[in-house]
Amino acid sequence: MAEETFTQSQVDEAIAKAKTNWKKEYLKPLQVELEDLKGKVPKPKTDAEKALEQREKKLFDKEVSVELKANGLEAYQGIISPADKKGLDDTIKALNKVHTDLKINNSFTPTDKKKGTDSYDVAKQNGDTKGMVKSIFGFNK
């Protein structure tokens, strides 16, 4: 291999050409992408915006409390935390359904007394008056 010698101006020119090419191919697209991403980054909230959000949250919490009390579900106050009005309405409907189902399932349901199984009914079916009297006074054992 033969060695080539370059002058300083040729080296500087080659470096400048490579640098321009690198800027065009690599640096420029990265800078454009960086600017796009900077535009997408959310701006920090001001104190006024933070205070407004806190007031809105307190107001919504009060609305949740009032709605729960109006539906007789204030016992669920600390348990549920809906994100918006629609979520609150859906939650209240679901809780009312569960609450109603629990009332129905826990209410008194009479059991049918089976006729003819105790000694009085057996004696009555057989026409045994002595057996009927004995079963009333508990002598039938």
Side-chain angles (χ1 to χ4, degrees):
M1 289 184 135
E3 283 190 31
E4 286 188 53
T5 56
F6 297 100
T7 62
Q8 185 63 37
S9 63
Q10 288 176 331
V11 171
D12 290 342
E13 185 180 316
I15 290 175
K17 197 181 218 183
K19 188 175 179 183
T20 326
N21 190 23
W22 178 81
K23 282 182 181 180
K24 185 188 277 184
E25 288 184 28
Y26 298 104
L27 186 62
K28 185 71 172 170
L30 287 175
Q31 287 175 334
V32 170
E33 186 177 350
L34 179 64
E35 290 302 317
D36 287 344
L37 290 176
K38 281 183 180 177
K40 293 178 183 178
V41 172
K43 296 176 184 171
K45 295 180 182 178
T46 63
D47 291 338
E49 289 173 331
K50 289 177 184 177
L52 180 63
E53 283 182 0
Q54 281 184 329
R55 279 188 251 144
E56 286 176 349
K57 183 172 176 6
K58 284 181 185 178
L59 181 63
F60 185 70
D61 289 345
K62 286 181 183 178
E63 183 179 351
V64 168
S65 175
V66 168
E67 287 291 324
L68 288 175
K69 283 182 184 176
N71 287 291
L73 301 168
E74 58 269 357
Y76 299 104
Q77 177 78 28
I79 298 172
I80 65 164
S81 58
D84 57 0
K85 178 71 173 151
K86 185 182 181 313
L88 174 63
D89 292 341
D90 293 344
T91 303
I92 287 177
K93 284 179 187 175
L95 286 175
N96 276 332
K97 183 179 180 338
V98 169
H99 195 67
T100 304
D101 291 347
L102 285 175
K103 277 184 182 178
I104 291 171
N105 290 340
N106 290 336
S107 63
F108 174 74
T109 52
T111 56
D112 292 334
K113 181 180 177 188
K114 296 181 181 174
K115 293 257 182 195
T117 57
D118 62 347
S119 60
Y120 178 82
D121 288 333
V122 171
K124 186 176 179 181
Q125 286 176 353
N126 293 335
D128 182 14
T129 54
K130 284 184 180 179
M132 289 170 55
V133 171
K134 284 182 180 179
S135 68
I136 289 175
F137 293 110
F139 297 121
N140 217 18
K141 291 198 179 187

